Amino acid sequence: MLGAIGRAFKTPDLRNKLLFTLGIVVLYRIGVFIPAPGIDYGQVQECVASPQMTQGAFGLINLFSGGALLQLSIFALGIMPYITASIITQLLRVVIPRFEALHKEGASGQAKLTQYTRYMTIGLGLLNATTLVTTVRSGALFGDVAACQNLIVNDTWWGIGIIVLTLTAGTGLIMWMGEQITERGVGNGMSLMIFTAVAAGFPASFGGILRTQGIDIFAIVLLVGLAIVTLVVFVEQSQRRIPVQYAKRMVGRRMFGGTSTYIPIKVNQAGVIPVIFASSVLYLPSLISQFGDPESPWVQWINKYFTSGDHPLYMAIYFLLTIFFAYFYVAITFNPEEVADNMKKYGGFIPGIRAGKPTERYLSYVLTRITFPGSLYLAVIAMIPLIALVLIGANQDFPFGGTSILIVVGVGLETVKQIDSQMQQRHYEGLLR
């Protein structure tokens, strides 16, 4: 393993790519600790160190920003606006025929969709920055702690405007850095930025468990975490391979086709998106309750069942929503009709299945069957932080569960595969044997 890493750094072009990627990651982590202009940095640090726990959407955004949200740094919004914009662009393909047509145009259409995603990212960044500043001014970011009410030094309209523009520009800069990694570095830039942000919180989570629970519980958590990582790697690599045979055909004087391949359908076809959707939907009741009277029965009911995250009703709804969104996202990202039409167009067929509608029905049947265990797997992984909250009092950023472990393992596997493929092109021996 160490020898393979050494060979990677001995290859000039691959070494330059790895160093460029590491340099961008370091710059990103430095930006996390640079405070936005007009923020009382010392007071913010005291509020971050307070035992008040941030939950819901704020906790999710703070996770994806690598802790920058609660630091109120120039990168406070993190990569979340880009993730939201990408998801919206995918959803619009189902609603707007123009977006679907661009998706089918190939590289030129994808370039236009990417440009639309960039514009949408800036717009969402501006909206999120305004919301964040409003939340900071109201004191709700740290749970209405009295010492965290006046974090903005210059509370004038132009001072607020500078903060909003800075946060929006930080989102644009993160997006640009991610694209630079994709073009000139190793791996998918946006995924690596998310990986960096999530992995940066692991040492603090481990330290918190060791400090509050002791060495015995800490050792048990590590053993359970190792088993969870093994399970996640196994499931993320699992796929159903549907064989496809292409008939031979004459084009001019040359014979084409006659090859065999397969359609890989992953068990977890939806990735981490269903967990993010479920978390966001469950935060809505808490968000709405902030605008109501604290003494109202419906506000008290929401605070009892949907705020702490350790109530059985919350867990059950979270579990079911994750399963629902897994089916929903797979349905909009994998189109059996399109796959069947493409196979028929190029002379491909599944052995034993007729081309056209029978192939479409067969693909839908297989997809539905394989999504069921995948959705259960996602729901179980999503429940681990909530169970840890009940059993050992860990916060919802528990490292071995939820979005954290899915992102770290998934991005790590894909990055290693890319490095391995580049090394095999040069040395005929990969990174891992």
Side-chain angles (χ1 to χ4, degrees):
M1 178 67 180
L2 295 177
I5 295 175
R7 288 195 303 272
F9 278 94
K10 288 179 182 178
T11 306
D13 54 344
L14 186 55
R15 180 179 65 242
N16 292 336
K17 290 182 178 181
L18 290 172
L19 292 177
F20 180 82
T21 302
L22 291 175
I24 294 294
V25 168
V26 170
L27 290 176
Y28 171 62
R29 289 305 300 166
I30 291 175
V32 168
F33 298 98
I34 300 177
I39 297 295
D40 189 345
Y41 183 73
Q43 191 68 29
V44 168
Q45 294 304 307
E46 293 181 6
C47 295
V48 171
S50 66
Q52 186 72 26
M53 183 173 63
T54 302
Q55 300 176 351
F58 289 143
L60 184 65
I61 299 173
N62 189 58
L63 174 67
F64 282 112
S65 66
L69 176 70
L70 298 185
Q71 299 279 350
L72 295 178
S73 71
I74 58 175
F75 291 162
L77 300 181
I79 202 68
M80 200 65 179
Y82 182 84
I83 297 174
T84 307
S86 300
I87 295 173
I88 292 175
T89 303
Q90 287 184 331
L91 295 177
L92 288 178
R93 284 172 41 197
V94 183
V95 181
I96 303 177
R98 171 61 177 168
F99 278 62
E100 183 64 24
L102 288 174
H103 176 71
K104 294 180 179 179
E105 285 182 6
S108 61
Q110 291 291 341
K112 291 182 180 180
L113 287 177
T114 302
Q115 194 66 22
Y116 292 155
T117 304
R118 292 170 182 165
Y119 294 146
M120 196 178 301
T121 300
I122 298 301
L124 290 174
L126 185 62
L127 178 62
N128 291 347
T130 305
T131 304
L132 177 59
V133 171
T134 304
T135 306
V136 173
R137 294 183 67 193
S138 66
L141 181 62
F142 291 95
D144 294 326
V145 178
C148 303
Q149 298 292 326
N150 301 314
L151 300 178
I152 300 178
V153 178
N154 187 5
D155 197 9
T156 59
W157 67 269
W158 60 272
I160 298 297
I162 290 177
I163 298 176
V164 171
L165 290 178
T166 302
L167 297 181
T168 306
T171 296
L173 181 58
I174 293 175
M175 180 175 62
W176 178 82
M177 293 165 68
E179 292 179 351
Q180 291 301 306
I181 292 178
T182 303
E183 295 177 4
R184 303 171 56 185
V186 177
N188 183 282
M190 298 302 176
S191 299
L192 281 174
M193 301 295 276
I194 300 173
F195 173 89
T196 302
V198 173
F202 276 28
S205 299
F206 287 137
I209 295 174
L210 180 61
R211 185 173 56 257
T212 59
Q213 303 297 328
I215 187 65
D216 296 336
I217 299 297
F218 180 73
I220 294 175
V221 168
L222 289 182
L223 292 176
V224 173
L226 181 61
I228 293 173
V229 170
T230 304
L231 171 66
V232 172
V233 171
F234 176 76
V235 177
E236 292 295 325
Q237 298 288 82
S238 302
Q239 57 183 224
R240 168 72 181 274
R241 296 181 175 182
I242 300 178
V244 178
Q245 181 74 34
Y246 285 92
K248 294 181 179 180
R249 54 194 178 96
M250 292 292 298
V251 179
R253 295 183 178 182
R254 302 184 62 181
M255 179 76 72
F256 291 90
T259 58
S260 298
T261 183
Y262 60 87
I263 301 175
I265 301 180
K266 296 179 64 176
V267 174
N268 181 21
Q269 189 82 1
V272 72
I273 300 300
V275 182
I276 297 176
F277 277 8
S279 301
S280 301
V281 169
L282 279 177
Y283 175 68
L284 290 178
S286 299
L287 180 64
I288 295 174
S289 67
Q290 294 181 6
F291 299 97
D293 184 5
E295 302 298 328
S296 299
W298 67 275
V299 173
Q300 294 180 356
W301 186 85
I302 290 177
N303 291 335
K304 178 180 179 181
Y305 294 104
F306 289 95
T307 300
S308 62
D310 56 355
H311 196 278
L313 178 62
Y314 181 94
M315 294 183 180
I317 296 177
Y318 192 20
F319 188 89
L320 295 176
L321 280 177
T322 303
I323 295 177
F324 168 77
F325 282 120
Y327 274 96
F328 172 77
Y329 191 74
V330 169
I332 66 174
T333 54
F334 188 93
N335 189 349
E337 181 181 1
E338 180 182 352
V339 175
D341 291 342
N342 290 334
M343 290 172 54
K344 185 177 181 180
K345 178 180 178 181
Y346 294 103
F349 62 93
I350 300 174
I353 307 295
R354 295 182 60 183
K357 286 293 183 181
T359 298
E360 178 187 342
R361 288 194 294 268
Y362 178 75
L363 291 175
S364 299
Y365 170 77
V366 172
L367 191 64
T368 302
R369 292 283 298 273
I370 203 170
T371 302
F372 180 69
S375 63
L376 289 179
Y377 150 79
L378 280 177
V380 170
I381 294 296
M383 295 297 295
I384 291 176
L386 302 182
I387 297 174
L389 176 65
V390 175
L391 295 180
I392 64 175
N395 60 30
Q396 294 192 33
D397 292 338
F398 184 70
F400 295 117
T403 54
S404 302
I405 197 67
L406 292 172
I407 291 172
V408 169
V409 173
V411 176
L413 289 174
E414 291 300 321
T415 305
V416 168
K417 285 181 181 178
Q418 291 201 22
I419 299 175
D420 187 65
S421 64
Q422 294 195 29
M423 290 190 63
Q424 287 181 351
Q425 293 176 5
R426 297 167 175 85
H427 302 287
Y428 301 101
E429 187 175 349
L431 183 65
L432 302 175
R433 296 182 180 179

